[in-house]
Amino acid sequence: MTTTTDLLSTEPAAPPPLGGVGFARWCWRQLTSMRVALILLFLLAIAAIPGSVLPQRGTDPIRVSDWIEGNPTWGPILDRLGFFDVYAAPWFAAVYLLLFVSVIGCVLPRTRLHWRALRSAPPAAPRRLDRMPEHRTWDSTASADVILDRAYDDLKARRWRVARGDGWVSAEKGYWRETGNLLFHAALIALLIAVGYGALFGWRGNVIVREGSGFSDTLTQYDAWGGGRLVDPASLPPFAFTLDDFRVEFERGDAQRGAPRLFEADLTLWPAPGDPAEPVVVRVNEPLSVDGAKVFLVGHGYAPVLRLTDALGRVVHDEGVVFLPQDGNLTSTGVLKAPDATPSIGIEGLFLPTAAVDDVRGPHSTFPEADDPAVFLSAWAGDLGLDSGVPQSVYALDTEGMTQLGIEALRPGDSWALPGGNGTVEFVGLTRWASFQIAHDPGKEPALISAMVALAGLMMSLFIQRRRVWVRASASASGATVVSVAGLARSDEADLAPEVDAVVVALNEGSGKA
Amino acid sequence: MTAASLAEWSNLAVYSSMLVLIAALIAFAVSFAARGQRVMSPELVSVGAGAPAPGSAPEQSAEPLAPGRRAGNIAMALTWLATGLLLVGLVLRGVWAGRVPWGNMYEFSLAWTLGILAVFLVVSTRRDIRWLGLPVVFLALLSLGLAVTVLYTEAAQLVPALKSWWLVIHVASAIICGGAFTVAAAISVLYLWRDRAERKGKVTGIVASLPDASRLDTLSYRILAFAFPLWTFAVISGAIWAENAWGRYWGWDPKETWAFITWVIYAGYLHARSTAGWRGRRAAYISLIGFVSFLINYFGVNIFVNSLHSYAGL
Ligand code: HEM
C-alpha cells in the first residue's frame, strides 16, 4: 500500500505526519499565528472605536479644537496620543501593519503547502472505513476490481481527484476552498497597498464657485487642498470651468420640510487650455470626470450681491459675497472686506433666505428657499488688518482697530447710506454658490479590484466544501465482495451523507442492485 | 388609490403583521413548552448495514402529531403570514414614497424585521427550527414595536445624496445581513444556554427542547458564513456609493467605521472557529459581540453621532 504524505493541512484536526519535530513546529506555528491573528483582529476593532466617538481632524477640525478647549486636561493628552487623528496614528498603523505581517507570514507557507497538495494524489484510504463519521458497508456480487473500477470512473467523471491502490480508491475534492482562502488573504494585502498608493499619489481640494464665476485647476484657486507626499502640486490636470447656473429644490411638504430634494450645477467645461468649451451638468452622485480627476458637488449656499460705494463715490465692490450656511434653513453668515475703499470698510452680514425674527432666536431663517430674503448688515470702518502679515479668514472680520458704523436690515433692492457719510451699501440681488470637491485617487481602481478579488476568494473559501471519500472492496470468506464507502469532511461543515450516497448509488447502478 | 390611503394601507399591514406575530409568539411558546416535556430523540445519522436507501431523511419520523408539534405548525404558518403582511406594508410604503422603502429609520426597521423573519423562514425550509421561533418572533416584535412607536416618520423623498442605485443594493444587502446577524445571535445565546446545561450534565426541562449544542453551533456558523461575504459586499458597495457621492471611497465616517469594526469582529469569529481553544463558547461570544457592533452601527450612529449617514429623519 502506498502512503502519500498529506501536505496540505490547515485544520488542526488533520495534522501532517512530518515527523516529531516538524509536527511540533507546525503546531506551534499554526497555533501561535492563528491566535496572534485573532488577537490582532480584535485589537484592530478596538483601535478603530475612538475615531468614531471623538471628533477627527480629517473630517471636522473645528469640533476637534472645540473639544480640546472644552477639556483642558484630557484634550491635550488625547491630542498628543493621536486620538483626534486615529486612522493616521502610529499605534493604529502598528496594529494593522502587524496584522498584515502576520497575514504574509501565514499566507506564504500555506501557499507552498497548497501548491504541493495540488500536484500530489489524494492520500491512501484508511484501513478501517467504519471509523469514519459517514460510512456504508454492504455485500456485493460484483468482483472487487469491478467495484473499484466503477468507483474510480464515477469519481473521476464527477471531477474528484482520485487515486487508486490495492483494494481501495481514494478521492478528494474542494481544493478551490484553500485556493480561495489564500486569494482572499492575498487580496487584503493588495487592498492595503492600493489604499497606501492612493494616499501617496492622490490629492483632493475644495473650492467654492459663485454663479457666473469660474475655476481653473491650479493650487492657488483652491480654498483648501491636500495631497499625498509624492504628488507634484505643479502638475494638476489643467482643466477649467465656470458655474453658469445652480438649481436647488427643497421639500415643502410637512414631512422633512426643508430637506434638500435636488441639487444641479450647470458648468461650462474646458477640459484643457484651448479645448472647445462643453456644457456639463454635475449632480450629487453624478460627479464630472475630467483628465483623471473627479469633480463632486458637495455644498451650496447663497451669495447676496452687495454693491458698495465709498465716501468718494467710487463703486469698490459689486458682486456676490459668499455667505456660509449655519443651519438647515440656510441662515448664513458672510463678510465683505473693501480695503481699497476710502475709508477701508468691513461688513459683517447675516443672510436669511426666509426671514423671521423672534425674541428667543433673534433673526433667523425659517425655510432654505429664498422666499422672503433679507440681510442684516453691520458695517465697520478702519484698519482691516490685512497688511499685518497674519493670514486671515475671508469669512471673519477682525474688528479690532475698527469702529462700528451701524447696523441695518436690507431687502433686495434696498440701499443703506452708511452713517457719517462713509458711502452706501445696496443689496442688489441674489446669486448662489456651489462648492466642489475635486479629487484624484489613483489607488481606487486597484483597491476596488482587490476588494472584488477578496470577495470572490472569500466566497470560494466559505462555500466550497473540502471532502474526501474512500471505497474499499475485498472478497470475503463467503465469496461475496464486501464493499465499504466512507467520507470525511475536511472543512468544518460539509454535509457528507449525500456525497457518500452518491458513490453508493454509482456502485449499485451497474450491478442492478438497488 | 390616493397617496393618503396608500399610507394608511401600509400602516394597516404593519399593524396586522404585528398582531399575527403576537399570535405566532403564543403558539411558539406553547410548542416550545410542550417539546420540553417530550423525550428528545437525537437525530441519529443512519449507520446502516446493507445498501442504504440514499436520501432517506432522518428528520421526518412518523411520530404522531404531539400537541407541541401542532402548535409549532400553526406558529410557522402564522409567521409566514406575518412576514407576508410586513412585506406588503413595506412595498406599499415604497409605492407611496415613490422610491425604495428604506429611506429613514422607521422604514429601515421594518426592512430589518423583514430580514430577520426572512432569514428564519428560509432556514426553516431546510431544517426544523421551530425551537428558534420564540426568540426570533420576539425580536421581530420588539423591533416592529420600536419602529411604530419611536421611529415612525412620514414618508418623504430622499435627500439627493441618497438617490442612487448603490443605495438600493448597499442597503438591501445590509438589511439581509442584519436579519442573519440577528438570527445567528439568537442561536448563539441558545447555544450558550444549552452548552452550559450539557456541561453540567443537566439537560432537563426547557433546555431539553433545544437541539444539541454542537448543532446550534453549526447552525449559527452556517448563517454567519452566509452573512459575512454579504456584509463584505455591503461594505464594498457602500464604498462605491461613497466614492460617487462624496469623492472618497473611505473616510472613516462613524457609520463606515462601525461597519468596518463589525466586519473585523465577524472575521475574528470565523478565525476563532478554526483556532483550537476558541471554537464553541468563545466563538459564540464573538458572534454576540459582532451583533452588538451591528446594533451600535444601526441605532447608535444614526441617533447619537453626527455622521454623513445620519438619515434617521427623527
Ligand atoms: C487582515 C487580517 C485578516 C482577515 C480580515 C482575515 C479574514 C479571514 C476570514 C474572513 C476567513 C474565513 C474564511 C474561511 O473560513 O475559510 C479567514 C480564514 C482563515 N484565515 Fe484569515 N484573516 C486575516 C488574517 C489572517 C492571518 C494573519 C492568518 C494567519 C495565521 C490567517 C489565517 C487564516 C486561516 C488558516 C483561515 C482558514 C480557516 C479555515 O480553514 O476555517 N488569517 N480569514
Side-chain angles (χ1 to χ4, degrees):
Chain A
M1 184 157 105
T2 49
T3 32
T4 321
T5 314
D6 177 18
L7 285 164
L8 173 80
S9 283
T10 54
E11 312 92 325
L18 287 175
V21 181
F23 175 71
R25 262 179 45 198
W26 177 86
C27 257
W28 182 85
R29 203 172 54 209
Q30 200 66 9
L31 279 181
T32 46
S33 49
M34 258 321 237
R35 215 158 257 174
V36 167
L38 195 54
I39 291 167
L40 287 172
L41 277 172
F42 281 108
L43 275 180
L44 184 64
I46 292 168
I49 294 177
S52 75
V53 180
L54 293 169
Q56 296 293 294
R57 280 235 160 72
T59 44
D60 209 344
I62 299 169
R63 269 181 60 223
V64 171
S65 31
D66 287 353
W67 205 97
I68 296 175
E69 250 168 57
N71 299 271
T73 359
W74 281 105
I77 297 177
L78 291 180
D79 195 17
R80 256 271 168 84
L81 295 176
F83 275 87
F84 299 107
D85 215 349
V86 165
Y87 309 106
W91 46 267
F92 190 73
V95 176
Y96 68 73
L97 288 178
L98 267 178
L99 189 52
F100 278 92
V101 169
S102 157
V103 178
I104 293 168
C106 179
V107 162
L108 287 181
R110 279 173 61 206
T111 308
R112 213 181 53 234
L113 288 176
H114 186 50
W115 178 250
R116 275 195 236 157
L118 280 177
R119 295 186 311 165
S120 52
R127 208 168 292 273
R128 305 270 319 257
L129 291 187
D130 57 355
R131 292 225 176 113
M132 291 299 147
E134 192 74 37
H135 64 92
R136 321 265 189 274
T137 304
W138 70 97
D139 290 343
S140 171
T141 49
S143 78
D145 271 348
V146 169
I147 294 277
L148 291 177
D149 282 347
R150 221 181 262 156
Y152 186 90
D153 292 344
D154 169 61
L155 288 163
K156 220 28 184 203
R158 288 191 291 123
R159 320 198 55 181
W160 288 65
R161 194 178 278 262
V162 197
R164 172 140 185 210
D166 183 17
W168 54 264
V169 164
S170 163
E172 178 159 359
K173 76 167 185 186
Y175 289 76
W176 283 100
R177 181 186 178 93
E178 180 70 0
T179 309
N181 188 288
L182 293 170
L183 205 59
F184 167 74
H185 286 88
L188 289 185
I189 300 170
L191 178 63
L192 184 75
I193 294 173
V195 171
Y197 179 75
L200 284 178
F201 289 95
W203 52 263
R204 162 197 331 272
N206 283 80
V207 59
I208 287 181
V209 183
R210 277 181 289 113
E211 275 175 331
S213 64
F215 166 81
S216 69
D217 190 31
T218 53
L219 206 53
T220 49
Q221 295 240 331
Y222 281 100
D223 299 325
W225 190 89
R229 246 176 240 170
L230 300 181
V231 180
D232 174 11
S235 63
L236 300 183
F239 62 88
F241 63 80
T242 56
L243 175 61
D244 303 322
D245 189 21
F246 183 71
R247 284 179 299 280
V248 49
E249 276 166 25
F250 299 98
E251 174 68 54
R252 287 190 182 269
D254 287 334
Q256 299 184 7
R257 187 176 160 77
R261 293 297 171 230
L262 171 103
F263 297 128
E264 235 169 39
D266 289 346
L267 308 184
T268 304
L269 172 76
W270 290 267
D275 277 9
E278 38 183 285
V280 290
V281 181
V282 179
R283 300 182 181 87
V284 177
N285 280 330
E286 285 177 44
L288 159 72
S289 287
V290 52
D291 206 355
K294 270 183 158 183
V295 180
F296 300 87
L297 179 59
V298 290
H300 72 102
Y302 288 99
V305 179
L306 299 179
R307 181 185 296 143
L308 176 64
T309 312
D310 72 358
L312 305 179
R314 291 178 307 165
V315 175
V316 291
H317 187 277
D318 187 12
E319 55 181 25
V321 179
V322 171
F323 275 54
L324 300 181
Q326 305 298 316
D327 63 23
N329 284 326
L330 292 184
T331 301
S332 310
T333 58
V335 159
L336 166 66
K337 295 180 189 180
D340 299 333
T342 308
S344 290
I345 298 284
I347 295 176
E348 288 175 326
L350 181 69
F351 174 73
L352 313 171
T354 302
V357 180
D358 67 30
D359 293 341
V360 186
R361 301 170 55 193
H364 63 277
S365 172
T366 55
F367 193 72
E369 190 62 67
D371 290 342
D372 183 17
V375 279
F376 288 69
L377 300 180
S378 162
W380 301 73
D383 180 14
L384 287 163
L386 293 180
D387 305 325
S388 65
V390 183
Q392 262 197 14
S393 162
V394 291
Y395 301 110
L397 190 66
D398 180 5
T399 54
E400 218 181 275
M402 303 191 82
T403 46
Q404 189 168 25
L405 299 174
I407 314 181
E408 186 68 18
L410 304 181
R411 301 274 174 183
D414 288 353
S415 68
W416 172 33
L418 294 176
N422 281 305
T424 40
V425 185
E426 186 182 350
F427 179 11
V428 179
L430 267 185
T431 57
R432 293 180 193 270
W433 56 262
S435 63
F436 296 93
Q437 174 158 151
I438 303 173
H440 167 66
D441 183 349
K444 67 174 190 282
E445 287 83 9
L448 181 61
I449 293 169
S450 312
M452 299 310 255
V453 171
L455 181 58
L458 180 65
M459 286 166 62
M460 283 157 65
S461 163
L462 285 169
F463 300 149
I464 295 176
Q465 302 299 352
R466 184 114 191 229
R467 289 127 197 228
R468 283 190 185 151
V469 294
W470 297 283
V471 180
R472 276 188 175 278
S474 57
S476 71
S478 67
T481 305
V482 181
V483 184
S484 315
V485 179
L488 178 71
R490 303 213 49 224
S491 47
D492 243 9
E493 312 302 334
D495 231 349
L496 269 175
E499 300 289 5
V500 174
D501 288 340
V503 178
V504 172
V505 168
L507 295 183
N508 284 327
E509 257 164 16
S511 67
K513 199 180 149 192
Chain B
M1 225 187 293
T2 66
S5 72
L6 270 179
E8 274 163 27
W9 281 103
S10 164
N11 291 351
L12 189 67
V14 172
Y15 280 109
S16 330
S17 166
M18 288 180 73
L19 283 179
V20 177
L21 278 178
I22 291 172
L25 189 76
I26 295 168
F28 272 127
V30 170
S31 145
F32 196 71
R35 265 178 72 121
Q37 285 149 20
R38 251 188 319 146
V39 181
M40 288 291 297
S41 55
E43 290 155 20
L44 288 173
V45 184
S46 61
V47 180
S56 64
E59 301 210 355
Q60 249 67 41
S61 48
E63 192 185 331
L65 276 187
R69 203 150 180 90
R70 188 170 313 127
N73 286 342
I74 293 172
M76 286 306 295
L78 288 173
T79 310
W80 279 100
L81 176 62
T83 308
L85 284 168
L86 188 57
L87 180 66
V88 168
L90 204 62
V91 168
L92 287 179
R93 178 94 180 176
V95 173
W96 173 30
R99 55 168 170 75
V100 286
W102 42 77
N104 56 45
M105 264 182 87
Y106 168 69
E107 293 165 0
F108 193 81
S109 291
L110 297 192
W112 177 40
T113 315
L114 191 65
I116 297 174
L117 293 171
V119 168
F120 171 71
L121 289 176
V122 166
V123 177
S124 81
T125 59
R126 297 166 158 233
R127 59 189 73 202
D128 184 356
I129 51 165
R130 272 170 259 230
W131 46 269
L132 188 56
L134 195 60
V136 161
V137 168
F138 176 77
L139 286 171
L141 266 173
L142 194 70
S143 123
L144 278 186
L146 271 180
V148 299
T149 51
V150 184
L151 304 174
Y152 187 79
T153 348
E154 294 293 322
Q157 287 184 319
L158 296 180
V159 295
L162 292 180
K163 269 186 206 156
S164 158
W165 272 107
W166 287 110
L167 170 77
V168 181
I169 297 170
H170 168 66
V171 182
S173 43
I175 284 167
I176 300 172
C177 285
F181 290 158
T182 312
V183 173
I187 300 173
S188 294
V189 170
L190 296 180
Y191 165 83
L192 289 170
W193 185 23
R194 170 86 189 193
D195 181 58
R196 216 179 61 159
E198 283 181 10
R199 275 180 304 118
K200 282 189 183 162
K202 284 195 295 189
V203 188
T204 51
I206 274 189
V207 200
S209 33
L210 295 174
D212 297 346
S214 67
R215 294 199 25 176
L216 291 170
D217 182 45
T218 303
L219 186 58
S220 71
Y221 165 77
R222 289 211 178 155
I223 292 173
L224 289 178
F226 152 80
F228 185 76
L230 195 60
W231 186 251
T232 311
F233 173 76
V235 174
I236 295 174
S237 60
I240 294 173
W241 171 31
E243 202 276 327
N244 247 316
W246 300 316
R248 85 289 185 289
Y249 59 85
W250 195 266
W252 294 108
D253 175 88
K255 198 97 179 171
E256 293 166 357
T257 304
W258 279 96
F260 172 78
I261 293 172
T262 307
W263 187 83
V264 169
I265 293 173
Y266 280 116
Y269 168 83
L270 293 175
H271 275 202
R273 280 190 53 94
S274 41
T275 308
W278 280 80
R279 32 177 77 239
R281 239 177 331 148
R282 290 198 196 177
Y285 285 123
I286 299 175
S287 139
L288 291 178
I289 295 173
F291 180 59
V292 168
S293 161
F294 171 82
L295 286 184
I296 291 177
N297 196 16
Y298 169 51
F299 283 107
V301 175
N302 272 8
I303 298 175
F304 302 113
V305 182
N306 180 7
S307 153
L308 284 171
H309 285 78
S310 294
Y311 51 81
L314 285 174

